[in-house]
Amino acid sequence: MALVFAGMAKAEDGHQLWLRQQPINKAKVTGPECIAAQELRTYSTQNVTLKIDATMEQDAYCIKVNSEQGKVNSVISAKNEIGLLYGAYALLRGETTDSEPFYKLRILNHWDNLNGTIERGYAGLSVFWKGKASERKFHGRTIFVEDPDQPINAELIKEYARANASIGINGTVLNNVNASPKMLSAIYINKVKQYADILRPYGIKVYLSVNFASPMSIPAKGFNGGKPIKTADPLNPKVKAWWKAKAKEIYAQIPDFGGFLVKANSEGQPGPFDYKRTHADGANMLADAVKPFGGIIMWRSFVYGAAHSGEDRVKQAVSEFKDLDGKFRDNVILQSKNGPLDFQPREPYAPIFDNIKNTKQMAELQITQEYLGQSRHLTYLAPMWREFFGFVAPEKLVGIAGVANIGLDKNWCGHHFSQANWYAFGRLAWNPNLTSEQIAEEWLGLTFNASNNEALKSMMLRSREACVDYMMPIGLHHIFAFDEHYGPEPDGYNAHVPLEWCPVYYHKANNDSIGFDRTHTGSNATAQYREPYCTLYDNINTCPERYLLWFHRVPWSYQLKSGRTVLEEMDYRYARGVKEVEDFIRIWNEAKPNIDEQRWQEVDARLQHQLENAKEWQKVCMNYFSSFTKK
Ligand code: GCW
């Protein structure tokens, strides 16, 4: 018989995320019977009274801890059961303060396809959509097709709901922004309703990404005899009527449906521009359709290659949207990525946040580490998001969206430490003023019982900067291998794809110089920034060196503040990045006695891989860039 010793680390596979408490089942909980009560009864070490206080703000909670004669009795008050639930999770985390969320909209964006695959997903297939393997193959690879007959996995979605509620996330977009029109077909709306029913008690609303041309291929209930129509022109009365009928059809099943997220006229997606209409025409038409039901439209500004094709890509969002500012309905929110290009390890902030003043805005952060080592590198993203909030005041925004890193992998995120990014996203959406350090400490405590392990915390806090160093230091950007966005390909050029997808377009290295001149002598992207940044970035002497090659083109002989030339500085930074990963491995080794076996091994294997990758980046990039100076 196997002996189990008290206190021996139990095997863990990470599926519990940061919710690893063992049931205690001793607490007395009084007040309304709800999920908060169940959670506290199961996991709390103290007795708790739950109180509804209708005067409180939505989602806010108030915790009072009373200790009498060695017995702890807490009181949690909130406006409704959802607020109580947030309070319950806070109490279970050991918080004893009052709190209310900074943002009303704290939304995950899943780039999940109906066939079960996930665009930029690195943790297995979709938790929402299941496909089946088709008989056809593409270059030897299995192709998945939709299979709406597959039942949903209600248990897993309940776990998903609980995890999100525990960090305050209150909305989720269930499908890819590169949206299939089929998402809006009756059979899938029915599935969305099933998800909404599971998520509702956890305070999570569902939203959908929509394909702007949906009216051309999908019927809307009670409209046009069940036939699609021939256009998606937003000013066409039939199109307006189609979307109104579709909204009615959705809300009949999901009365608290959140609304639509739209990627239009970007990377091949249809949109209003196809009919010579503006983004405002498109967004407002949809806004009118969901308005009677309280819905919103999140319209993405990630648009390039449409009306301003050919212009420096980082300028195009402002060019497309600036003149439309103030022309959107009040239930439209413009959703923009934190940087002007595309979720690079480091970008300056996106100047669209400066240029749009009379339209509601949301930031889109990417939790899935598309360009930061995916689920194979340990890269803690809170410092990157906090950096963004240093430029774009949280008050400027009405909400935060995060591109999810969740899949069917046992531990949800592929890398155990990628869970920290999901966690950090939720915590920052609740309170963007929390520090990266606080969040790391909290997460380490809950996930590894290691809240006061300074070394692990420092590893997390240094990891994003290390990634910048070993991938693309001093303002280099987008020098990734085509499509996978994983390894290095600084010489990447392909005549068959848009130039804006090619690494050489971004660094422009030749025998004399390197960098993209985005100052007034070049593309003048600096002019899109508010002061003092406009002047600061435009002038090479004041431009922070972390953005040097993003904004400036310099000769190879250019000396940085360190006294090193550009190439020497690169050499120094790539090496520094590699050394950092070596140090992470050392730290992880030292933590071994305190970490359960399986998770330790899995993280260790990934760290070894990360080190190999970092060395590869160093080698490939240094070989390539030094070749110019040797000619
Ligand atoms: O980051 C790029 C990705 C695409 C993505 C696109 C977008 C969903 O490489 O995969 O498509 O951005 O954000 O729309």
Side-chain angles (χ1 to χ4, degrees):
M1 197 180 92
L3 287 178
V4 180
F5 295 101
M8 191 172 87
K10 179 170 147 293
E12 295 202 49
D13 55 20
H15 189 71
Q16 307 297 318
L17 297 159
W18 47 85
L19 296 165
R20 295 160 52 252
Q21 300 100 318
Q22 295 299 309
I24 304 170
N25 293 317
K26 284 221 173 106
K28 210 175 110 213
V29 180
T30 51
E33 192 43 43
C34 53
I35 301 178
Q38 289 163 20
E39 293 281 32
L40 290 165
R41 203 169 288 137
T42 316
Y43 299 105
S44 176
T45 52
Q46 40 180 288
N47 294 335
V48 189
T49 305
L50 298 176
K51 275 195 183 152
I52 297 287
D53 175 353
T55 64
M56 288 179 68
E57 290 289 321
Q58 177 69 29
D59 294 351
Y61 56 82
C62 167
I63 302 178
K64 292 220 159 37
V65 181
N66 304 313
S67 296
E68 272 169 28
Q69 295 161 354
K71 270 212 97 185
V72 189
N73 283 294
S74 297
V75 181
I76 304 178
S77 341
K79 189 185 192 72
N80 55 32
E81 292 180 2
I82 301 304
L84 291 178
L85 188 60
Y86 292 145
Y89 288 122
L91 189 75
L92 291 172
R93 266 200 301 271
E95 268 179 48
T96 50
T97 47
D98 302 347
S99 188
E100 63 177 295
F102 192 92
Y103 292 117
K104 284 211 173 85
L105 298 169
R106 309 177 294 275
I107 303 183
L108 285 184
N109 289 183
H110 289 270
W111 286 355
D112 294 19
N113 301 311
L114 294 179
N115 70 1
T117 59
I118 304 180
E119 179 148 358
R120 311 307 175 186
Y122 312 105
L125 294 170
S126 170
V127 298
F128 296 110
W129 314 113
K130 252 191 227 156
K132 56 182 178 204
S134 102
E135 274 152 28
R136 285 177 305 129
K137 288 202 186 256
F138 182 71
H139 292 296
R141 274 203 293 199
T142 307
I143 305 182
F144 288 89
V145 293
E146 294 114 32
D147 184 6
D149 296 331
Q150 297 261 9
I152 69 164
N153 186 342
E155 260 329 289
L156 189 73
I157 297 308
K158 208 167 145 182
E159 291 175 357
Y160 164 89
R162 182 172 179 250
N164 280 317
S166 76
I167 48 173
I169 287 169
N170 71 347
T172 178
V173 182
L174 300 177
N175 64 315
N176 191 354
V177 288
N178 291 326
S180 162
K182 288 185 194 152
M183 187 70 252
L184 294 182
S185 60
I187 193 157
Y188 278 109
I189 293 176
N190 179 269
K191 285 194 179 300
V192 176
K193 175 200 158 39
Q194 295 176 48
Y195 288 131
D197 290 345
I198 301 173
L199 299 172
R200 188 172 298 111
Y202 289 88
I204 301 168
K205 274 191 188 185
V206 297
Y207 299 77
L208 292 177
S209 295
V210 294
N211 181 299
F212 199 77
S214 299
M216 296 167 75
S217 58
I218 298 292
K221 196 171 170 192
F223 175 80
N224 201 30
K227 284 199 297 287
I229 50 180
K230 298 223 154 50
T231 171
D233 178 351
L235 298 192
N236 181 306
K238 273 198 167 168
V239 173
K240 293 183 187 179
W242 187 94
W243 282 103
K244 287 198 163 134
K246 189 49 80 179
K248 200 167 152 203
E249 181 183 344
I250 295 172
Y251 280 94
Q253 298 213 50
I254 312 162
D256 55 353
F257 178 73
F260 298 139
L261 170 63
V262 194
K263 172 175 177 177
N265 293 122
S266 174
E267 300 185 332
Q269 294 301 313
F273 189 61
D274 304 345
Y275 308 93
K276 310 248 176 315
R277 312 296 186 197
T278 69
H279 286 286
D281 294 331
N284 291 343
M285 182 274 293
L286 293 176
D288 291 343
V290 296
K291 175 86 178 177
F293 309 99
I296 60 168
I297 302 300
M298 293 165 287
W299 192 270
R300 296 176 90 225
S301 79
F302 181 72
V303 172
Y304 63 97
H308 294 81
S309 182
E311 190 183 40
D312 177 3
R313 179 170 155 187
V314 307
K315 291 182 69 182
Q316 291 188 36
V318 172
S319 303
E320 292 268 346
F321 286 92
K322 197 176 159 122
D323 294 341
L324 299 173
D325 188 18
K327 298 201 170 132
F328 292 93
R329 300 280 193 269
D330 67 357
N331 59 333
V332 174
I333 305 171
L334 195 60
Q335 177 169 314
S336 304
K337 297 184 181 183
N338 55 295
L341 182 55
D342 190 12
F343 298 136
Q344 300 299 292
R346 170 164 279 127
E347 293 189 36
Y349 74 96
I352 190 150
F353 295 106
D354 292 342
N355 287 274
I356 299 294
K357 300 196 166 113
N358 300 305
T359 304
K360 290 181 184 152
Q361 297 198 78
M362 277 173 85
E364 179 179 306
L365 309 175
Q366 199 187 40
I367 309 169
T368 192
Q369 298 157 232
E370 176 177 357
Y371 295 98
L372 291 104
Q374 303 179 358
S375 59
R376 288 172 272 178
H377 293 197
L378 190 159
T379 323
Y380 174 53
L381 302 179
M384 182 168 81
W385 300 332
R386 290 275 303 156
E387 186 171 291
F388 166 73
F389 285 122
F391 295 99
V392 176
E395 294 76 18
K396 275 201 166 173
L397 311 172
V398 301
I400 297 284
V403 181
N405 62 350
I406 298 161
L408 280 176
D409 273 8
K410 195 72 199 161
N411 72 11
W412 302 87
C413 303
H415 198 307
H416 291 290
F417 275 80
S418 295
Q419 296 177 355
N421 294 329
W422 178 6
Y423 185 88
F425 170 77
R427 299 291 286 130
L428 284 173
W430 184 276
N431 180 2
N433 297 312
L434 288 176
T435 66
S436 308
E437 204 171 338
Q438 255 170 288
I439 299 171
E441 204 170 285
E442 237 177 73
W443 180 82
L444 278 168
L446 297 167
T447 310
F448 287 109
N449 305 337
S451 58
N452 45 26
N453 188 323
E454 291 301 320
L456 289 181
K457 202 165 77 183
S458 114
M459 166 173 84
M460 288 175 75
L461 292 171
R462 284 149 55 197
S463 59
R464 183 275 188 138
E465 206 60 50
C467 176
V468 172
D469 271 348
Y470 65 69
M471 285 186 182
M472 31 199 97
I474 51 171
L476 286 169
H477 49 288
H478 219 305
I479 55 174
F480 290 93
F482 176 68
D483 201 38
E484 292 298 324
H485 295 165
Y486 186 69
E489 199 174 88
D491 61 344
Y493 175 74
N494 180 339
H496 303 291
V497 302
L499 190 58
E500 296 113 316
W501 293 358
C502 301
V504 297
Y505 167 76
Y506 293 101
H507 62 67
K508 302 194 188 301
N510 65 17
N511 292 344
D512 306 314
S513 314
I514 177 166
F516 198 134
D517 183 1
R518 292 195 164 107
T519 70
H520 65 281
T521 57
S523 79
N524 207 19
T526 49
Q528 291 185 339
Y529 284 86
R530 71 176 190 268
E531 288 298 356
Y533 300 112
C534 171
T535 306
L536 205 69
Y537 296 161
D538 200 68
N539 180 340
I540 193 162
N541 297 314
T542 55
C543 179
E545 288 182 343
R546 57 184 178 278
Y547 305 136
L548 183 70
L549 302 177
W550 181 287
F551 286 117
H552 296 271
R553 180 159 185 78
V554 295
W556 287 105
S557 58
Y558 179 81
Q559 274 196 357
L560 283 88
K561 296 196 181 79
S562 59
R564 292 184 277 266
T565 66
V566 188
L567 192 68
E568 285 163 356
E569 187 68 23
M570 273 185 201
D571 193 39
Y572 171 79
R573 302 276 177 134
Y574 277 110
R576 190 172 74 177
V578 170
K579 269 198 226 114
E580 282 288 270
V581 183
E582 280 166 352
D583 201 47
F584 300 162
I585 291 176
R586 179 193 62 80
I587 291 173
W588 193 241
N589 269 317
E590 277 176 13
K592 188 165 190 213
N594 307 318
I595 309 279
D596 43 283
E597 182 69 12
Q598 181 179 341
R599 289 190 300 171
W600 188 87
Q601 293 292 354
E602 285 168 358
V603 170
D604 181 59
R606 280 178 156 74
L607 281 170
Q608 304 293 346
H609 183 75
Q610 183 172 355
L611 180 59
E612 274 171 38
N613 286 172
K615 287 181 176 163
E616 188 196 345
W617 272 95
Q618 176 189 33
K619 193 170 134 210
V620 171
C621 293
M622 285 315 297
N623 275 345
Y624 174 72
F625 289 120
S626 59
S627 72
F628 291 101
T629 58
K630 284 185 192 131
K631 280 174 196 156

